[in-house]
């Protein structure tokens, strides 16, 4: 279980997050919802350690920690809103780059990547380059890349925003499938219907009023 | 025809000088430019800000004055400060510093063009800074900068003729000497043809390289 307590964040004196508490329960799917500009992405970036909060504490299984430590321990995987696949690497190499650099046997890393791709219905795209994939395919490669490091928590930023509405259901099915396998997931979205479809719990981030 | 064969050896030895200045400048200036560009990335600490300011001044100096002037200063000016180069080293020193300044600017633009999200994604995959540069950023930078680097490389072939000013015998000088001695423009026509062949070969090579990098977008 990951708890964030009293998280606050300002940008240039403008309050974005004010004293937010987040509890991420094992094997559950948490949706973070709220209007555009409310600070959902900012909160996800704080959980990932990409953004430093002005104040707040992180508690992992009862012990205080830092997002940097969580990252080093491989606790957190992120699926970015625009996926951030590496264009210079094939789909397979996108997935195996980090495992191999962290000492995994290249053959095993490749086998694992191919297995993940097969599960995500991408078996035939292993040697393709990201530019040739559709949005939905890119997203699944990004998911496979994150999963290859066996994170405990998988974060998604707006997983439905870059997709055809028809693909929404299939993303929801994936999230449910991962949940059934025991994955803990956090989904940032402004799509309330999607949140309803997948989430066990919902956290609403409110837009802060401009203060003078 | 007979005459052309007669002057060919001297032109060839001039061409050799041109090519060696060219090759060593490329070998020195491209890696140096890339390292300088890394130093030009966003500075956080005071030390890095100092480095940044120094590098910016250096680039301004070398891009803001003629290469010809830089050659003259290195060969005739630096000895006044007790730094003496032989002609060839002086030429290489000036050429490498000059071209590294241009390459640094090009690479800086290339680094800036790679989406910050790529670095963040690498971070979330627990890659080190160096691994991120090596496997993610630099391959993309190389593709981005290739056309601009190519332009400078072609310029360098022609700029190498400036070494005559410190008394080095390059291709153009060999042609000039023969032309003045035999009172004919023919050697200079030959020189022009040789430059054209050199730049043609380089242009084709660069095209091939660009094609090699077209496997992704
Ligand atoms: N690095 C930054 N510097 C300054 N302001 C920022 C920065 N990042 C975000 N902001 C501001 O913080 C606010 C919240 O941004 P954020 O991206 O977290 O919102 P969001 O809830 O994800 O919105 P959306 O639904 O549009 O994605 C916005 O007003 C944004 O302009
Ligand atoms: Mg957002």
């Amino acid at each position: 279980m990951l708890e964030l307590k009293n998280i606050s964040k300002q940008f240039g004196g403008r309050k974005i997050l004010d004293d937010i508490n987040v509890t991420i329960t094992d094997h559950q799917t948490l949706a973070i919802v709220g209007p555009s500009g409310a600070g959902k992405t900012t909160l996800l970036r704080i959980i990932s350690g990409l953004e430093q909060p002005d104040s707040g504490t992180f508690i992992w299984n009862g012990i205080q920690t830092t997002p940097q430590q969580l990252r080093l321990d491989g606790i957190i995987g992120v699926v970015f809103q625009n996926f951030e696949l590496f264009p210079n690497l094939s789909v397979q190499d996108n997935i195996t780059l980090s495992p191999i650099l962290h000492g995994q046997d290249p053959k095993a890393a490749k086998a694992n990547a191919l297995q993940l791709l097969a599960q995500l219905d991408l078996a035939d795209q292993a040697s393709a380059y990201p530019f040739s994939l559709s949005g939905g395919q890119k997203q699944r490669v990004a998911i496979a890349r994150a999963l290859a490091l066996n994170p405990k928590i998988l974060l998604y930023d707006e997983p439905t925003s870059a997709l055809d509405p028809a693909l929404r259901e299939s993303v929801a099915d994936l999230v449910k499938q991962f949940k059934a396998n025991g994955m803990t997931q956090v989904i940032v979205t402004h799509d309330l219907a999607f949140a309803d479809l997948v989430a066990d719990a919902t956290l609403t981030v409110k837009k802060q009023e401009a203060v003078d | 025809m007979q005459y052309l064969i007669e002057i060919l050896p001297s032109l060839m030895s001039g061409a050799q000088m041109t090519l060696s200045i060219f090759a060593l400048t490329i070998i020195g200036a491209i890696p140096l430019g890339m390292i300088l560009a890394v130093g030009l990335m966003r500075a956080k600490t005071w030390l890095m800000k100092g480095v940044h300011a120094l590098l910016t001044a250096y680039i301004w100096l070398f891009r803001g004055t003629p290469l010809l002037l830089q050659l003259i200063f290195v060969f005739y000016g630096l000895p006044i400060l007790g730094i003496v180069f032989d002609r060839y080293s002086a030429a290489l020193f000036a050429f490498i510093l000059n071209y590294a300044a241009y390459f640094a600017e090009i690479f800086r633009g290339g680094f800036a063009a790679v989406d910050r999200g790529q670095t963040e994604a690498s971070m979330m995959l627990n890659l080190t800074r160096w691994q991120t540069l090596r496997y993610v950023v630099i391959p993309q930078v190389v593709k981005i900068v290739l056309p601009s680097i190519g332009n400078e490389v072609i310029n360098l072939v022609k700029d190498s003729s400036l070494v005559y000013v410190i008394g080095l015998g390059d291709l153009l000088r060999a042609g000039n000497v023969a032309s003045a001695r035999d009172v004919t423009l023919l050697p200079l026509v030959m020189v022009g043809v040789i430059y054209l062949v050199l730049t043609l070969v380089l242009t084709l090579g660069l095209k091939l390289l660009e094609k090699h990098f077209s496997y992704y977008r």
Side-chain angles (χ1 to χ4, degrees):
Chain A
M1 184 163 83
L2 178 63
E3 295 162 278
L4 282 71
K5 296 205 161 141
N6 311 109
I7 300 289
S8 294
K9 178 73 184 176
Q10 302 192 349
F11 281 119
R14 201 159 57 91
K15 215 180 260 176
I16 303 296
L17 299 173
D18 186 22
D19 208 21
I20 302 270
N21 294 298
V22 187
T23 303
I24 302 170
T25 311
D26 291 351
H27 318 305
Q28 291 212 350
T29 304
L30 172 68
I32 299 179
V33 299
S36 180
K40 304 182 296 295
T41 297
T42 304
L43 183 56
L44 177 130
R45 290 172 56 82
I46 287 174
I47 301 172
S48 326
L50 293 171
E51 201 83 65
Q52 192 72 32
D54 299 331
S55 59
T57 43
F58 278 66
I59 298 163
W60 172 242
N61 293 334
I63 297 162
Q64 189 168 337
T65 182
T66 62
Q68 286 71 26
Q69 191 57 48
L70 293 174
R71 191 174 71 221
L72 289 174
D73 293 344
I75 305 290
I76 290 180
V78 176
V79 179
F80 290 90
Q81 183 165 8
N82 48 0
F83 318 130
E84 299 297 350
L85 298 181
F86 305 133
N88 56 312
L89 299 178
S90 68
V91 163
Q92 180 187 309
D93 292 345
N94 262 276
I95 299 169
T96 58
L97 177 68
S98 177
I100 290 174
L101 288 176
H102 286 95
Q104 194 179 350
D105 169 53
K107 277 208 193 90
K110 181 180 170 184
N112 187 40
L114 292 180
Q115 196 191 332
L116 281 167
L117 287 173
Q119 274 171 29
L120 293 165
D121 209 16
L122 283 168
D124 51 345
Q125 301 291 342
S127 55
Y129 282 82
F131 76 89
S132 67
L133 303 180
S134 72
Q137 289 174 322
K138 282 182 189 159
Q139 181 176 59
R140 280 175 284 145
V141 175
I143 292 172
R145 185 174 69 174
L147 289 179
L149 294 172
N150 298 314
K152 296 278 188 297
I153 304 175
L154 191 54
L155 309 182
Y156 309 73
D157 194 1
E158 303 283 0
T160 58
S161 70
L163 302 183
D164 216 273
L167 281 173
R168 228 167 99 210
E169 304 260 319
S170 68
V171 182
D173 288 344
L174 262 188
V175 171
K176 287 178 194 159
Q177 182 195 322
F178 295 150
K179 179 186 148 72
N181 294 340
M183 181 59 81
T184 308
Q185 298 170 95
V186 178
I187 299 176
V188 160
T189 182
H190 61 252
D191 182 344
L192 293 175
F194 181 74
D196 270 349
L197 220 50
V198 296
D200 303 302
T202 301
L203 174 77
T204 305
V205 182
K206 289 198 198 71
K207 195 157 181 167
Q208 295 299 306
E209 298 305 322
V211 279
D212 32 23
Chain B
M1 195 63 213
Q2 183 60 33
Y3 177 65
L4 292 183
I5 292 168
E6 246 167 60
I7 61 169
L8 203 57
S10 71
L11 291 188
M12 279 303 140
S13 90
Q16 214 176 343
M17 171 61 77
T18 295
L19 280 176
S20 88
I21 295 276
F22 170 81
L24 291 177
T25 301
I26 293 291
I27 292 169
I30 288 184
L32 182 58
M34 190 182 280
I35 293 167
L36 295 177
V38 174
L40 280 169
M41 286 194 281
R42 58 184 173 280
K44 284 197 186 125
T45 62
W46 281 107
L47 178 69
M48 282 309 293
K49 287 202 168 99
V51 171
H52 195 283
L54 272 177
L55 290 178
T56 307
Y58 149 76
I59 288 173
W60 175 66
L61 185 68
F62 276 84
R63 296 206 318 163
T65 58
L67 176 52
L68 191 64
L69 191 65
Q70 293 160 20
L71 274 168
I72 294 170
F73 270 124
V74 168
F75 187 64
Y76 298 106
L78 287 185
I80 300 169
L81 305 174
I83 306 169
V84 183
F85 286 108
D86 62 69
R87 292 172 203 282
Y88 187 68
S89 312
L92 279 181
F93 186 75
F95 267 84
I96 290 176
L97 285 185
N98 178 279
Y99 270 82
Y102 282 91
F103 288 145
E105 264 304 302
I106 293 173
F107 279 118
R108 192 193 56 72
F111 278 113
V114 176
D115 191 342
R116 219 173 97 89
Q118 293 280 297
T119 311
E120 295 186 339
S122 309
M123 216 180 207
M124 292 319 296
L125 295 171
N126 257 329
L127 303 191
T128 63
R129 276 180 68 93
W130 165 245
Q131 289 168 338
T132 303
L133 275 177
R134 163 76 182 76
Y135 295 100
V136 177
V137 178
I138 290 179
Q140 295 181 50
V141 168
V142 169
K143 181 179 165 95
I144 294 168
V145 301
L146 205 55
S148 319
I149 295 281
N151 279 337
E152 293 302 328
V153 166
I154 301 287
N155 276 336
L156 173 59
V157 175
K158 296 174 286 176
D159 271 357
S160 65
S161 63
L162 295 173
V163 297
Y164 82 88
V165 75
I166 57 172
L168 282 174
D170 75 315
L171 176 58
L172 183 57
R173 184 184 164 97
N176 252 328
V177 168
S179 172
R181 182 191 58 217
D182 307 329
V183 204
T184 160
L185 279 179
L186 261 185
L188 290 176
V189 172
M190 282 282 282
V191 164
V193 169
I194 295 174
Y195 274 116
L196 279 176
V197 170
L198 288 179
T199 48
L200 180 68
V201 169
L202 285 169
T203 307
L204 292 177
L206 286 161
K207 277 270 163 321
L208 277 178
L209 257 181
E210 279 181 38
K211 208 169 155 196
H212 166 78
F213 279 103
S214 67
Y215 66 88
Y216 75 86
R217 267 179 254 153

